[in-house]
Amino acid sequence: MSIRFDVSLRSSSKTAPQEAVWKNPAWYLLFLEHLDEFATLAWYLVADHQLVEETIQRTLAQLEMTPFEASMPLLAYKQAKTELITQAIAGLSLGRKESEEDAAYLPSSLGDLPDMPRLAFMLKLVLRSSEIEVARFLDVPPSRVRELVQVAIDRLSLRMPYSLLTGCYDA
């Protein structure tokens, strides 16, 4: 998977030399240092290359407005990771109405998980986030996190006959 960083260059006049308009380039350096990890994290959450790029761009735009604390690199890393997760979830438009949320339990195709259970599963079991963190990211109560993870596990544990998956019924 390759991620493109679009460097926006602006100039104040046509004759002035162009310079990057980064409010806080330290975030870009941190992101580049952990690019593989952050890109993989975004992929786990949104599962679409276009959404991964959009998530990373939105994350960097948000981080640019956040002060970078160079004396505490672990804090900066956690801020970047948290913002990436937040932007990935926002990109999936999880702020649905109650009626749409019930429809989220229905997968679009066999083997696919709907957004909420898939995100809860990824955050809780793959990324090892606490239930409280997952609940905060998904804006649900912690008890709902357990329910969503169970829906994902149940959905993933369904065993379909191979003939059904391939469309071959002459077995």
Side-chain angles (χ1 to χ4, degrees):
M1 168 183 2
S2 66
I3 302 294
R4 276 182 297 131
F5 278 104
D6 292 330
V7 179
S8 299
L9 297 176
R10 298 182 192 154
S11 64
S12 57
S13 72
K14 293 185 181 195
T15 59
Q18 291 184 340
E19 59 183 62
V21 189
W22 290 342
K23 294 177 186 167
N24 202 339
W27 286 114
Y28 289 86
L29 295 173
L30 175 91
F31 221 88
L32 283 172
E33 184 178 333
H34 299 283
L35 183 59
D36 285 341
E37 178 185 351
F38 287 152
T40 300
L41 172 60
W43 179 258
Y44 283 161
L45 296 173
V46 299
D48 176 88
H49 75 279
Q50 183 66 33
L51 287 176
V52 168
E53 287 185 25
E54 291 171 11
T55 297
I56 289 174
Q57 289 171 351
R58 281 194 317 274
T59 300
L60 288 171
Q62 282 298 118
L63 288 174
E64 236 182 14
M65 296 183 285
T66 306
F68 185 88
E69 187 59 51
S71 65
M72 300 195 312
L74 186 58
L75 176 63
Y77 169 81
K78 286 182 179 181
Q79 283 178 304
K81 185 176 177 181
T82 299
E83 188 61 41
L84 181 72
I85 293 169
T86 302
Q87 291 302 320
I89 292 169
L92 290 173
S93 303
L94 290 178
R96 296 182 178 149
K97 296 175 186 160
E98 196 64 39
S99 63
E100 290 175 317
E101 190 172 286
D102 292 339
Y105 283 98
L106 301 172
S108 58
S109 67
L110 192 62
D112 287 345
L113 283 175
D115 288 344
M116 289 289 280
R118 183 181 58 78
L119 285 170
F121 179 86
M122 288 302 212
L123 289 168
K124 178 76 176 116
L125 299 178
V126 176
L127 301 175
R128 304 280 190 208
S129 299
S130 71
E131 255 179 36
I132 293 171
E133 288 175 311
V134 175
R136 186 173 38 88
F137 283 127
L138 298 180
D139 197 26
V140 297
S143 60
R144 181 88 190 273
V145 170
R146 282 180 240 123
E147 175 188 326
L148 291 168
V149 169
Q150 190 59 51
V151 167
I153 291 170
D154 291 345
R155 177 71 184 157
L156 290 172
S157 64
L158 287 176
R159 299 286 182 206
M160 297 290 172
Y162 184 72
S163 60
L164 181 66
L165 294 173
T166 60
C168 177
Y169 303 106
D170 295 344

